[in-house]
Amino acid sequence: MHKSIQQYLNHYAEPNLPASPAQGQHTYQWQWVVCIPCFNESSAFIKALPKTANILIILVVNHPRGRDSGLNISLVESLSCEHPSLELGYHDRLITLEGDNRHILLVDRSTNQTGFNPKHGVGLARKLAADIALKWHVHGLIQSDWIAMTDADALLPETYFEALPRPEIDTPAVVYPFSHSQAGTPEEQLALALYELKLHHYVAGLLHAKSPYAHHSIGSCMAMRAKAYAQVRGIPKRAAGEDFYLLNKANKLGKIRTLGLESTIMLSPRRSDRTPFGTGQGVNTLSDEATPLKTQVFYPPKVFESLKGFLANVASGAQTFDAVTAALPEEAKTALKTLGLESALIHCKTHGPTPQKFQRQLHLWFDGFRTLKYIHQLAPPRTGLLSFDEWSVQSGNADLSPSEASQHLRALCYQNLIDD
């Protein structure tokens, strides 16, 4: 066992993880694992779970304190009554599904319980599931070192597990391509197209700027290797954005790979208030707007141009503040100064004695989070964003509808990310 895994399980894993199952002479073992947080879902999604043989699905049923959990109770009762099960603890059961060695580890953190701290929310649910996966992998119950993560409303492709890189391919994490199913109403479909375009336009902007942090960050569409998961100390316990922060840390261990389009995950376009932001909330907000095409949700193209200039200066070997900000607009220089670039450059010179090591140190500092903060300095979310009508003109996409623009940038993103 790698020492980082041992340290993680000893000091950072959630307490009271379920013990390994044992029933007489029967030994449980699976090839694959996928972790799913579950809050107020009906049991219908169980039928859509992967039919893959030798799979363990870790389902963490949870609710934030103060929220109704009626559907959780129905789901737990349905699973326990309709399928054979093995009790592992007062709130933990191993459910046997139809098929070849297919099981659900039902981790009930909702029934007759106060619920999670609302600030921890889905992040804690994902972490609890992944911690169990790591522990059971170490104990030999799960053979693959990939910890896959998704959501109950995601439809996984048949190649979901087959697409994961082989052990000899060195990457800490992967991101699956995604697409959304058709929405129920024209208003929701327009809102969905705008929200999906928002996701793709950000990644396309990072690709244009040649940022090493150019990838999608969606909790339904990611998998991480066991050692990397331990090295980044697990999933942040956050009510939203846990996927972004997890992958941001993983990217510092090695390049994150985007898998091929044949492994696209279909996501639900449903409205939702389960998390403070995300697809559900995005569709909610945009659907309720009287004029969604004039709602300001897009970053101006100029911010990615200035980001490109900064990263190009770094790639050229610049190491002083004046050199790395050469030819940038004054507001970009101010933003970088506000973020602490001057002191960061001193640190990079100290710990990066060669040009390659200097650049490595700078990219560790100017990571995906600071990249986003830089963009927000230039385009504050409340005052500096563009509507679709404005963005489409400034980006040269004025002849495209929101759906066409989304598909165009989706293809652009995945062509570059997959081919990279």
Side-chain angles (χ1 to χ4, degrees), residues 310-370:
F310 168 62
L311 295 177
N313 288 340
V314 173
S316 71
Q319 295 193 5
T320 66
F321 183 85
D322 288 342
V324 297
T325 61
L328 297 186
E330 285 303 317
E331 59 267 26
K333 295 179 181 180
T334 300
L336 289 167
K337 186 173 290 188
T338 301
L339 289 174
L341 177 60
E342 291 171 310
S343 58
L345 290 172
I346 296 173
H347 172 89
C348 293
K349 288 179 182 178
T350 303
H351 295 84
T354 67
Q356 293 78 14
K357 290 182 178 180
F358 175 89
Q359 290 181 25
R360 169 68 175 160
Q361 288 294 323
L362 189 55
H363 285 306
L364 288 175
W365 175 79
F366 195 75
D367 58 6
F369 177 60
R370 280 200 174 86

Side-chain angles (χ1 to χ4, degrees), residues 24-40:
Q25 300 299 313
H26 185 86
T27 300
Y28 290 94
Q29 189 176 66
W30 302 272
Q31 175 66 28
W32 307 107
V33 65
V34 60
C35 303
I36 304 178
C38 185
F39 168 39
N40 274 358

Side-chain angles (χ1 to χ4, degrees), residues 4-79:
S4 62
I5 295 179
Q6 187 65 61
Q7 289 173 348
Y8 181 83
L9 291 173
N10 288 343
H11 302 291
Y12 303 106
E14 294 302 299
N16 304 316
L17 298 178
S20 303
Q23 188 176 30
Q25 300 299 313
H26 185 86
T27 300
Y28 290 94
Q29 189 176 66
W30 302 272
Q31 175 66 28
W32 307 107
V33 65
V34 60
C35 303
I36 304 178
C38 185
F39 168 39
N40 274 358
E41 300 281 356
S42 74
S43 61
F45 81 92
I46 300 298
K47 295 180 180 179
L49 290 172
K51 300 301 187 290
T52 309
N54 300 315
I55 177 179
L56 176 66
I57 299 150
I58 302 179
L59 193 66
V60 177
V61 180
N62 70 97
H63 71 274
R65 271 197 309 265
R67 296 288 296 275
D68 177 73
S69 58
L71 278 177
N72 285 351
I73 296 173
S74 298
L75 173 64
V76 170
E77 291 178 348
S78 175
L79 281 172

Side-chain angles (χ1 to χ4, degrees), residues 43-121:
S43 61
F45 81 92
I46 300 298
K47 295 180 180 179
L49 290 172
K51 300 301 187 290
T52 309
N54 300 315
I55 177 179
L56 176 66
I57 299 150
I58 302 179
L59 193 66
V60 177
V61 180
N62 70 97
H63 71 274
R65 271 197 309 265
R67 296 288 296 275
D68 177 73
S69 58
L71 278 177
N72 285 351
I73 296 173
S74 298
L75 173 64
V76 170
E77 291 178 348
S78 175
L79 281 172
S80 300
C81 294
E82 296 178 10
H83 302 274
S85 65
L86 172 67
E87 186 171 333
L88 303 182
Y90 187 64
H91 294 290
D92 307 317
R93 303 188 71 84
L94 188 66
I95 308 291
T96 301
L97 299 176
E98 292 183 2
D100 184 6
N101 195 28
R102 297 174 65 243
H103 294 83
I104 290 176
L105 173 60
L106 176 62
V107 183
D108 181 8
R109 294 299 180 264
S110 183
T111 304
N112 299 323
Q113 297 174 77
T114 58
F116 289 167
N117 182 333
K119 293 181 178 180
H120 295 167

Side-chain angles (χ1 to χ4, degrees), residues 140-187:
L141 277 71
I142 299 166
Q143 294 175 305
S144 173
D145 70 337
W146 282 107
I147 300 174
M149 308 173 202
T150 191
D151 286 318
D153 62 341
L155 186 60
L156 307 181
E158 291 184 5
T159 58
Y160 183 70
F161 292 108
E162 294 174 11
L164 290 169
R166 298 181 299 277
E168 64 268 21
I169 296 177
D170 186 20
T171 183
V174 297
V175 174
Y176 288 84
F178 72 92
S179 187
H180 286 93
S181 304
Q182 190 77 10
T185 68
E187 293 78 15

Side-chain angles (χ1 to χ4, degrees), residues 358-420:
F358 175 89
Q359 290 181 25
R360 169 68 175 160
Q361 288 294 323
L362 189 55
H363 285 306
L364 288 175
W365 175 79
F366 195 75
D367 58 6
F369 177 60
R370 280 200 174 86
T371 297
L372 182 60
K373 288 184 71 174
Y374 170 75
I375 290 171
H376 283 176
Q377 288 278 338
L378 299 181
R382 293 186 181 277
T383 59
L385 303 184
L386 302 178
S387 68
F388 173 78
D389 289 344
E390 295 168 326
W391 173 85
S392 62
V393 171
Q394 293 188 23
S395 64
N397 293 291
D399 57 335
L400 301 180
S401 69
S403 180
E404 291 169 336
S406 178
Q407 289 303 310
H408 169 65
L409 288 191
R410 179 181 187 273
L412 177 68
C413 285
Y414 288 135
Q415 178 181 343
N416 284 278
L417 291 169
I418 293 169
D419 291 346
D420 189 0

